[in-house]
Amino acid sequence: MTADRDWAEVAAGPPVTVRAPATSANLGPGFDSLGLALTLYDDVEVAVTSGGLAIEVDGEGAEVAGRGERHLIVQVLRRAFGLLDELAGTDLGQPPGLRLRCANRIPHSRGLGSSSAAIVAGIVAARHLHPAGAALDDAAALRLATEIEGHPDNVAPCLAGGLTIAWTGGTGPRSVRLEPRIGQVTAFVPERRLATEQARGLLPGTVPHGDAAANAGRAALLIAALAEGLGTDVLLDATEDRLHQDYRAPAMPESAELVARLRGKGVPAVISGAGPTVLVFTSSARVDSMSAEVGNGWHIHPLNVAPHGARVQHDRSGARP
Ligand SMILES: Nc1ncnc2c1ncn2[C@@H]1O[C@H](COP(=O)(O)OP(=O)(O)OP(=O)(O)O)[C@@H](O)[C@H]1O
Ligand SMILES: N[C@@H](CCO)C(=O)O
């Protein structure tokens, strides 16, 4: 099948800008399954050009700009363009050139889903730019993003917004989106980075049956607490974890200590994703009083749940939404 446009025509058109939200995965007991989209965003502009590869990065992780073909978003664009040709039966191949402009606000390797935002932004941009982009539907986008990221819990809310429960079934990764009834959450972000790969390496191969059973019950309770807007006392119990946080504590002792301290005072606090950011479910009034107590060394981000997943921002072409 031939596409209705070729890369030269795409290059003559406008670039696409995608806004992708930060995400917090696990939320305590929901390891590799639960995720929340947050109102902290990366913006990625992608243009097809007549040749070469140019990458500009402003903000977080500016050092990744020099990676050329190894830049995560470039790799994702290439994978998505290849998959689109396969799915649509077209043979466009790779575009002659690409230009990326990244405005990064999500801190890297802190547990706020920066890699998922980059992956999802790349997929949404590729779907918009490729003339047969509609062939990559939402289910295929989730499958591709999960394949690249390795687990679905950050990419699902980054694609869908809100609160998501993600799992891998017989047909691959899937997710369900819920509208959480919670107000503000606050991210306490330390300077120290922790790569997800390193944090995953600290997990044991097996866990005691009692711990697995406790987490299953708490994860179920957490969904009810978030969906129904249940009170802080329920949320405190519902965010208890026994499957990952303690095993990872040696790699982020300050974060583990902060979570324990806040929980000891009745505040529902968890490690965000693979850490070391601490995510707190609480009102803004409480955060103000907590901030003084938490001390220096933490960047404090009061955030809301992002209602939408990654979306195209400026579409001057009037083409696909
Ligand atoms: N906007 C981006 N552009 C290019 N590469 C990125 C971008 N964001 C993240 N990355 C890559 O992903 C790495 C961080 O991914 P990692 O999985 O370790 O942490 P995270 O996604 O921030 O946290 P978590 O998965 O725990 O929520 C960075 O070091 C960088 O290589
Ligand atoms: N569920 C993942 C989230 C981080 O990407 C983990 O905790 O390793």
Side-chain angles (χ1 to χ4, degrees):
M1 181 183 154
T2 49
D4 57 356
R5 288 184 300 153
D6 60 17
W7 284 129
E9 285 172 84
V10 177
V16 60
T17 301
V18 178
R19 171 162 281 199
T23 50
S24 182
N26 302 331
L27 309 179
F31 181 75
D32 273 3
S33 175
L34 302 186
L36 209 50
L38 300 171
T39 51
L40 176 67
Y41 299 93
D42 278 356
D43 290 328
V44 181
E45 182 193 275
V46 183
V48 168
T49 62
S50 55
L53 173 63
I55 305 171
E56 291 169 28
V57 177
D58 197 21
E60 299 286 341
E63 73 281 357
V64 299
R67 292 188 185 166
E69 285 293 334
R70 287 175 43 248
H71 188 280
L72 181 56
I73 301 176
V74 175
Q75 291 186 338
V76 172
L77 288 164
R78 302 256 183 245
R79 286 266 301 258
F81 288 141
L83 178 62
L84 272 162
D85 266 354
E86 257 178 68
L87 291 172
T90 51
D91 57 359
L92 265 75
Q94 296 296 324
L98 285 169
R99 191 193 68 230
L100 269 65
R101 289 192 177 131
C102 306
N104 293 346
R105 301 178 193 92
I106 307 171
H108 287 192
S109 298
R110 303 302 211 300
L112 287 170
S114 70
S115 52
S116 290
I119 291 164
V120 168
I123 292 173
V124 172
R127 170 155 91 172
H128 185 86
L129 290 168
H130 193 284
L136 192 66
D137 62 14
D138 289 348
L142 177 63
R143 278 198 297 277
L144 176 60
T146 304
E147 212 176 291
I148 299 171
E149 175 73 352
H151 38 88
D153 49 341
N154 287 105
V155 294
C158 192
L159 278 160
L163 167 68
T164 53
I165 308 170
W167 74 100
T168 301
T171 56
R174 298 177 64 191
S175 83
V176 164
R177 182 192 186 285
L178 298 171
E179 204 60 65
R181 287 176 58 193
I182 50 173
Q184 203 177 49
V185 296
T186 302
F188 291 86
V189 184
E191 277 301 323
R192 170 207 281 257
R193 293 181 179 207
L194 177 61
T196 301
E197 208 182 335
Q198 188 191 337
R200 289 182 88 81
L202 295 171
L203 299 176
T206 58
V207 294
H209 188 275
D211 289 352
N215 263 56
R218 298 305 165 101
L221 179 62
L222 181 56
I223 291 299
L226 295 177
E228 299 292 325
L230 303 181
T232 302
D233 57 329
V234 178
L235 211 45
L236 182 64
D237 286 344
T239 48
E240 199 180 321
D241 162 71
R242 295 203 214 162
L243 292 189
H244 62 102
Q245 294 185 170
D246 285 350
Y247 296 107
R248 290 168 160 175
M252 45 180 141
E254 299 86 0
S255 304
E257 192 275 328
L258 180 58
V259 167
R261 189 147 50 94
L262 292 173
R263 294 186 69 82
K265 291 178 187 294
V267 178
V270 297
I271 297 293
S272 181
T277 288
V278 173
L279 189 80
V280 176
F281 293 89
T282 192
S283 68
S284 45
R286 192 95 195 254
V287 169
D288 287 344
S289 66
M290 263 183 336
S291 302
E293 188 192 328
V294 161
N296 296 329
W298 302 88
H299 298 277
I300 302 172
H301 294 267
L303 300 167
N304 289 105
V305 176
H308 302 290
R311 295 200 294 183
V312 170
Q313 290 298 292
H314 304 295
D315 184 9
R316 293 188 296 268
S317 71
R320 273 186 309 279

